[in-house]
Amino acid sequence: MKKFTFRPTPEIVVLVVLLVVSLLGLLFIDALVAPPKLLFGRSLTAVAPSLFPSIIFVGLALLCAVLLVLLNLQGGHEHEASLTPHEWRRGVVFFGTMTLYALTMEPFGFLISTALAVALLTWQMGNQSWIQTVLLAFGGPILLYLAATRLLAVSLPELNVIELAYARLLGG
Amino acid sequence: MLDQFAEGFGMALRFDTFLMMSLGLFGGMLVGALPGFTTLMAMAILLPISFFLDPIVGIPFLLGIYKGGIFGGSIPAILISMPGTGAAVATSRDGYKLTQQGKSRKALDMALFASVFGDTSSDIFTILMIFPIAFLVMQFGPPELFAVLLLSLVIIAATSGSNPMKSLVMMMLGLWLSFIGTDPLGGVERFTFGLFDLKSGIPLLPMLIGVFAIPEIASVVMRNERAKQLAALMGERLSRAEFRRCVRTICRSTVIGTAIGIVPGLGQVVAAMMGYSAAKNASDHPETFGEGELEGVAAAEAANNAVNGPTMVPLLTLGIPGDNVTAILLGAFVAQGLRPGPQLFSDQGATVFAILVAMVFANLLFLVIGYLSIPFFSRLVTIKVSILIPIVIMFAFAGAYVFRSDSVDLLMLVVFGLFGIIARIAKFDVMPMVMGFILGPPMEYAFGQTVAMTNGDAFGFFLGERWGALGILLAIPVIGFLLWRRMRAVAAG
Amino acid sequence: MFKNSIKKVASLAMAAGLTFAASMGAAQSTYPEKPITMVIPLGAGGSHDLNARVITSIIPTYLDQAMIVRLTPGAGGQKGTQEVANAAADGYTLLFTHNYIDMLQQHVESLPYNPMEDFVPVARINFAPIAVIVRSDSPYQTFEELVAASKADPGGIQMAHSGNWGALFVPAAQMMKALDISWNMVPFQGGGPALQALLGGDADVTMAFPSAIAGQLQAGNVRVLATAGAERIYDDVPTFAEVGVEGDVGFMHRVVLAPAGTPDDVIETLGAAFKSLEEDRTFTRMMSRLGENVDIIDSAAYQAMRDEQDVAYKELVKTLTSQ
């Protein structure tokens, strides 16, 4: 009898999650996918919107199940060096900064949100110089914003106050 | 026809044409290097300028932007693993590893040479064979497109990464992600959970940046506190020997890319991946692909540029644009009084040939421009990480926003960044997922069209009219199995 | 030492901020003060995009400010439309759309906005009538022959359209209803691929705007069987009304909308600027090269058309999707 160890390596966890999700998806497919519309009593599309998703769910579930069995039979993997708590903390701070950036860009405008994010990031990466930080945090977004909106004619979110300031700066 | 060509050739040799093309190439390269700020946008913005220029100057100008942009997209893909388009994904694989090994300049050089070679060859081929290509293009319809896309997905799953089954799992996940939003055929909502923000689906660019670039950046942030730079040096130029080693791959990729360019609806993404997969399969050391193999960069880049030539054919011979870029070119042509379509060559043949010839020259010009610009770019990775990382993040977020002018995309960027890190830890390869995501919708659409066309009689339809598609469909399991076996043999031996 | 430099930087920033604030206070409000954004809810490179590029390259001379195009495709046009519906009604964000998205979509889907209440028209730029076309080697020489063949083989004739409820689909559905025939509707990603399908033999009939088929007609590759509109576009081709399809069928109007609540004088200024495009020679020349006509209708006149469309489309969708 082969030893059937259950080691929750990240790989296995991901596979289990995918398996569960695809099974749930199959079960609830009618709630998740809207029914096709009708024209003259016939369906508007030749292929039902739920066909491909169903196929994918079935395929996913099968593959995950097979892989789980195969991986378990193969036994343990070499224990890879995992991250130290210090590294984890740095990762969390990094993602926190990015999430903050994502949430503040629209309400605070590009300049302020970017300045904040850049300052946090450069500080986390070990920059000690105030001048560099300020130059980077303000110079960077200002240059990019002007280039993007004036040269490339795309729009970035910005507070009305600051936008008018730019317009005045460049001679309105 | 031949005298029109000769006349056109002479018309193209103008100083202002070359000047504007050079400006376009350089500008396009810069814009293309900014993920999210697509060359498509740059072309659309500069389109009105071309209205007021001579057609022999204005249209090559736009073409220059386009070609410069394609290479430009490879620059962040190689330097910081941030592909801005699906086509650059395959390049970022080996390209970034090379950067990490201190060989960023070699990688960029190879990308440039391969791109120029592929593009020039395919342009010349197109000029010589416009009408046969036009005929071939007409033979392809939705059934053939569906078959080829399915085949591509199978090949990608079988050849990328070390474990085809895990790749397949990721590909299916990518396919499912592509279903979120509105169903392409009927316009009904799928998996949106009632959220309006999901109604138009998951945007590609934030996913690309999140899944490819963020994990790499996070890795630097988390682990390499001591490291001052992303890469110690930019390295030397590409050596002749290294280039010669890859010539066969480049030629193969060029043929693949040109062939894929003829099939309407496939595009650069499929070309890059097929070129890459073919090179990996043909190589006697496939395990180096993905770990910093110059041949991988060459294969992907030559293929994705070789698509460009044939793509112009439906535009020129029918007046029908095949994608957004050719649509803008159509606008440029039309605004200049050129009428793409069946009459184009008989009425205005000389001008058209002049433009096509200028296109070939653009490639050669770009060889010079690109080569001179590369040292600048490759040196960028040697900037202190404390300055480089914040700037990269700023560009990433700005680009993600600009893509759809939607701040929800920024959150998607972060979420996919997390996803990319989890995939890494669990040792899953994200490239098949992205490919499934990109190729899923056109495949489903082509399938729906095919079913509509069969009108209930699938058997008769395929056997009677579309045996080409049927042949490909039947070949898929065979090809898939053979590739799988080969990859397993290589992994074991 | 540090403290000193912090203080310096802080006071500099304060001074800069105050200067900016002060200079803004003295501003006068004459519209437009800054560039205007024109949102297009469709993808890049389409005929809509091209129209917009021409407009935005000429209109700055009449407005003294740039007009920037912002493409916001997605959800069949809903994404861009919703963005403008939610934008500030100050005249700096406009929507460039067409009547099928504007007035028809609300009856087919549940939208997060109300086109009638949330938008006010600025100007209609042009309109385009659609034409029914077949390949020149097809057995149908006239529209009547096509109808007869369709009745003999219900659902057998393949009609290529550009997407559900789009500019090719709606007239086709109206025709099928009016003439009691049934075609097999095969979707394609836009008018271009639909035309290509016809030429390649994948479809038997499709529709197209005259500007798109001018070259094919000249080369003799396609034949027009019927056109929309009150008058004949081609001398020997009947109009829809003549072959039995009555009513407002087959017209696409390109129109500029502004969020409801935009001040009247702003709308007037914009309307006047758009109206002057009609007289601008460069504009008319470029539009004619694109194959589009120029027929600017002002806000009030188009609003009347919108009211009519609203009623008509509601009826249309009801009859088409009932049964």
Side-chain angles (χ1 to χ4, degrees):
Chain A
M1 270 263 277
K2 276 214 181 79
K3 237 190 357 183
F4 208 71
T5 51
F6 182 66
R7 289 236 204 97
T9 68
E11 210 172 3
I12 304 235
V13 169
V14 167
L15 283 171
V16 169
V17 166
L18 283 176
L19 179 62
V20 168
V21 165
S22 44
L23 286 176
L24 281 176
L26 263 180
L27 269 175
F28 292 108
I29 194 116
D30 291 317
L32 294 169
V33 176
K37 306 207 190 97
L38 302 173
L39 182 74
F40 301 144
R42 286 175 1 189
S43 169
L44 205 49
T45 52
V47 170
S50 52
L51 176 66
F52 267 51
S54 307
I55 297 178
I56 296 300
F57 280 143
V58 168
L60 255 180
L62 279 174
L63 272 175
C64 289
V66 167
L67 269 173
L68 278 170
V69 169
L70 278 179
L71 285 175
N72 260 325
L73 288 178
Q74 274 169 21
H77 297 264
E78 351 89 46
H79 201 57
E80 229 183 60
S82 53
L83 303 166
T84 69
H86 175 68
E87 288 167 346
W88 271 111
R89 266 200 303 260
R90 285 182 69 81
V92 168
V93 169
F94 177 60
F95 267 92
T97 309
M98 286 207 296
T99 313
L100 184 69
Y101 193 12
L103 292 171
T104 56
M105 195 187 277
E106 200 144 88
F108 291 176
F110 187 69
L111 180 54
I112 297 180
S113 59
T114 309
L116 193 57
V118 165
L120 285 172
L121 283 169
T122 194
W123 170 80
Q124 186 186 18
M125 293 308 292
N127 194 347
Q128 306 268 359
S129 151
W130 275 99
I131 307 179
Q132 271 188 24
T133 305
V134 168
L135 275 178
L136 200 61
F138 287 95
I142 291 180
L143 283 174
L144 180 56
Y145 186 85
L146 288 176
T149 52
R150 301 291 185 265
L151 287 178
L152 296 173
V154 294
S155 69
L156 286 166
E158 194 46 276
L159 299 176
N160 213 10
V161 174
I162 302 186
E163 239 182 69
L164 285 173
Y166 281 133
R168 231 145 275 275
L169 188 68
L170 297 179
Chain B
M1 186 72 61
L2 202 55
D3 43 314
Q4 279 183 326
F5 176 74
E7 193 188 332
F9 193 91
M11 281 165 82
L13 297 174
R14 286 164 56 149
F15 180 67
D16 49 356
T17 301
F18 277 69
L19 180 65
M20 289 307 280
M21 274 202 308
S22 306
L23 278 174
L25 286 165
F26 187 69
M29 183 176 67
L30 289 179
V31 173
L34 305 169
F37 298 83
T38 57
T39 31
L40 184 64
M41 255 190 259
M43 285 174 77
I45 291 163
L46 294 170
L47 178 67
I49 297 184
S50 79
F51 292 164
F52 302 105
L53 295 169
D54 238 12
I56 317 254
V57 181
I59 297 183
F61 173 58
L62 287 175
L63 284 168
I65 299 174
Y66 176 52
K67 290 188 190 280
I70 303 179
F71 175 70
S74 310
I75 296 179
I78 291 175
L79 295 180
I80 45 177
S81 183
M82 195 183 285
T85 59
V89 168
T91 312
S92 70
R93 249 321 158 67
D94 289 275
Y96 183 62
K97 281 269 159 52
L98 284 163
T99 300
Q100 285 178 313
Q101 293 165 12
K103 298 185 191 161
S104 62
R105 191 165 173 187
K106 282 189 206 273
L108 284 172
D109 280 343
M110 182 59 93
L112 179 66
F113 295 152
S115 299
V116 168
F117 185 91
D119 213 326
T120 314
S121 315
S122 124
D123 285 346
I124 295 179
F125 179 74
T126 304
I127 294 179
L128 294 174
M129 307 276 283
I130 282 192
F131 293 105
I133 294 180
F135 174 76
L136 277 176
V137 169
M138 279 287 119
Q139 308 309 310
F140 288 97
E144 289 73 33
L145 182 61
F146 170 70
V148 175
L149 282 172
L150 188 59
L151 176 65
S152 312
L153 282 178
V154 166
I155 292 180
I156 293 173
T159 55
S160 61
S162 43
N163 188 335
M165 274 207 276
K166 281 168 77 168
S167 299
L168 202 51
V169 167
M170 287 310 268
M171 183 174 278
M172 292 192 157
L173 180 61
L175 283 166
W176 176 68
L177 287 173
S178 79
F179 296 146
I180 299 180
T182 316
D183 133 58
L185 287 161
V188 301
E189 290 188 31
R190 295 196 291 195
F191 305 108
T192 58
F193 301 101
L195 296 167
F196 182 76
D197 284 317
L198 285 179
K199 217 170 166 179
S200 23
I202 294 182
L204 176 63
L205 184 79
M207 173 195 276
L208 284 179
I209 299 181
V211 141
F212 286 110
I214 302 283
E216 297 292 343
I217 300 178
S219 166
V220 174
V221 171
M222 294 201 290
R223 291 179 193 263
N224 302 8
E225 202 172 346
R226 293 298 152 85
K228 282 289 161 200
Q229 297 163 315
L230 203 57
L233 26 82
M234 69 177 189
E236 303 152 352
R237 295 190 285 199
L238 190 70
S239 75
R240 284 241 176 106
E242 281 166 332
F243 181 72
R244 244 175 315 161
R245 201 162 49 89
C246 300
V247 167
R248 200 138 67 118
T249 300
I250 294 181
C251 288
R252 185 191 311 118
S253 282
T254 304
V255 171
I256 293 179
T258 311
I260 290 184
I262 296 183
V263 180
L266 285 180
Q268 295 178 342
V269 180
V270 175
M273 288 308 301
M274 289 297 107
Y276 187 81
S277 302
K280 184 173 178 182
N281 196 40
S283 156
D284 47 4
H285 48 88
E287 64 283 351
T288 61
F289 278 73
E291 299 300 322
E293 171 59 65
L294 272 173
E295 214 176 320
V297 173
E301 284 295 315
N304 77 16
N305 274 70
V307 172
N308 297 335
T311 312
M312 296 279 287
V313 174
L315 168 67
L316 293 173
T317 56
L318 296 174
I320 298 177
D323 58 11
N324 288 332
V325 170
T326 38
I328 293 189
L329 287 173
L330 175 64
F333 271 98
V334 163
Q336 294 283 0
L338 293 165
R339 302 211 122 273
Q343 305 297 88
L344 184 63
F345 283 92
S346 43
D347 293 347
Q348 295 145 324
T351 312
V352 177
F353 275 119
I355 293 175
L356 290 172
V357 167
M359 206 163 73
V360 177
F361 279 124
N363 292 319
L364 302 172
L365 266 179
F366 193 56
L367 198 54
V368 175
I369 296 176
Y371 193 64
L372 294 173
S373 318
I374 284 180
F376 167 72
F377 283 113
S378 58
R379 199 164 287 152
L380 286 176
V381 285
T382 57
I383 299 178
K384 280 202 292 191
V385 282
S386 56
I387 297 188
L388 186 62
I389 299 267
I391 294 186
V392 165
I393 295 286
M394 174 175 79
F395 274 101
F397 273 69
Y401 180 86
V402 160
F403 187 64
R404 286 195 315 176
S405 304
D406 192 344
S407 64
V408 165
D409 291 353
L410 301 175
L411 285 169
M412 298 243 191
L413 175 60
V414 179
V415 166
F416 277 110
L418 268 173
F419 180 88
I421 293 189
I422 295 176
R424 254 214 187 166
I425 297 178
K427 292 190 279 190
F428 279 94
D429 184 1
V430 282
M431 191 157 75
M433 183 194 89
V434 169
M435 289 301 135
F437 180 77
I438 294 178
L439 298 178
M443 191 174 75
E444 191 181 5
Y445 196 81
F447 185 72
Q449 288 176 302
T450 307
V451 172
M453 286 166 76
T454 61
N455 219 353
D457 179 21
F459 209 54
F461 180 69
F462 273 98
L463 275 182
E465 300 178 39
R466 310 314 273 246
W467 36 265
L470 186 64
I472 299 178
L473 284 173
L474 289 177
I476 289 180
V478 177
I479 295 180
F481 179 68
L482 287 173
L483 284 172
W484 179 60
R485 254 206 349 199
R486 182 162 198 273
M487 284 296 138
R488 269 239 303 214
V490 165
Chain C
M1 237 274 271
F2 249 6
K3 269 218 182 125
N4 260 335
S5 33
I6 298 180
K7 268 208 206 150
K8 263 207 213 155
V9 171
S11 41
L12 252 178
M14 271 252 290
L18 281 175
T19 325
F20 281 149
S23 64
M24 262 145 20
Q28 275 191 324
S29 45
T30 41
Y31 174 85
E33 287 183 305
K34 57 175 187 167
I36 303 169
T37 306
M38 182 188 266
V39 173
I40 303 186
L42 301 165
S47 60
H48 220 62
D49 186 21
L50 293 177
N51 271 266
R53 300 287 169 193
V54 175
I55 294 175
T56 53
S57 66
I58 311 271
I59 206 164
T61 41
Y62 299 100
L63 278 176
D64 285 330
Q65 280 289 346
M67 193 177 275
I68 309 172
V69 168
R70 187 160 81 204
L71 295 167
T72 318
Q78 290 176 39
K79 194 146 182 300
T81 313
Q82 195 202 28
E83 199 178 291
V84 180
N86 294 341
D90 54 8
Y92 289 105
T93 314
L94 304 173
L95 180 70
F96 185 48
T97 181
H98 59 70
N99 53 319
Y100 293 114
I101 295 183
D102 180 32
M103 282 288 116
L104 179 61
Q105 213 179 48
Q106 58 184 330
H107 302 300
V108 192
E109 303 201 30
S110 59
L111 302 174
Y113 47 80
N114 184 321
M116 217 28 135
E117 289 172 9
D118 296 333
F119 290 100
V120 52
V122 173
R124 184 202 67 184
I125 305 296
N126 58 24
F127 65 92
I130 205 122
V132 177
I133 55 175
V134 294
R135 275 191 312 281
S136 42
D137 61 7
S138 112
Y140 318 119
Q141 299 289 337
T142 67
F143 193 75
E144 283 76 25
E145 282 179 34
L146 176 66
V147 173
S150 315
K151 290 201 194 226
D153 183 15
I157 295 191
Q158 315 254 52
M159 152 93 196
H161 65 89
S162 59
N164 288 347
W165 303 108
L168 273 60
F169 183 93
V170 175
Q174 287 171 304
M175 252 178 220
M176 294 203 289
K177 188 82 185 146
L179 301 170
D180 195 26
I181 51 178
S182 159
W183 288 324
N184 184 17
M185 307 277 263
V186 184
F188 286 87
Q189 304 256 29
L195 179 59
Q196 190 164 350
L198 177 78
L199 293 169
D202 288 338
D204 302 310
V205 61
T206 187
M207 303 209 178
F209 292 106
S211 55
I213 51 173
Q216 302 296 339
L217 269 178
Q218 225 188 347
N221 291 339
V222 301
R223 185 181 320 133
V224 182
L225 295 184
T227 59
E231 298 163 6
R232 292 191 166 195
I233 301 178
Y234 307 102
D235 292 328
D236 49 350
V237 175
T239 64
F240 285 176
E242 287 176 47
V243 295
V245 185
E246 307 266 349
D248 176 27
V249 182
F251 278 99
M252 176 161 78
H253 304 269
R254 299 192 209 275
V255 60
V256 179
L257 302 174
T262 308
D264 287 332
D265 54 332
V266 169
I267 304 250
E268 239 183 76
T269 315
L270 282 171
F274 279 108
K275 192 73 182 162
S276 354
L277 288 176
E278 251 184 348
E279 312 295 318
D280 187 301
R281 270 193 37 197
T282 324
F283 183 75
T284 46
R285 184 166 46 104
M286 292 209 177
M287 289 302 251
S288 78
R289 283 209 184 133
L290 283 177
E292 307 270 352
N293 60 3
V294 180
D295 193 341
I296 317 263
I297 294 189
D298 70 16
S299 172
Y302 192 71
Q303 182 61 30
M305 289 178 77
R306 281 178 99 210
D307 293 324
E308 284 171 14
Q309 285 167 0
D310 194 4
V311 172
Y313 289 143
K314 192 162 175 190
E315 258 309 304
L316 176 65
V317 174
K318 209 160 62 122
T319 42
L320 286 181
T321 55
S322 62
Q323 291 194 344

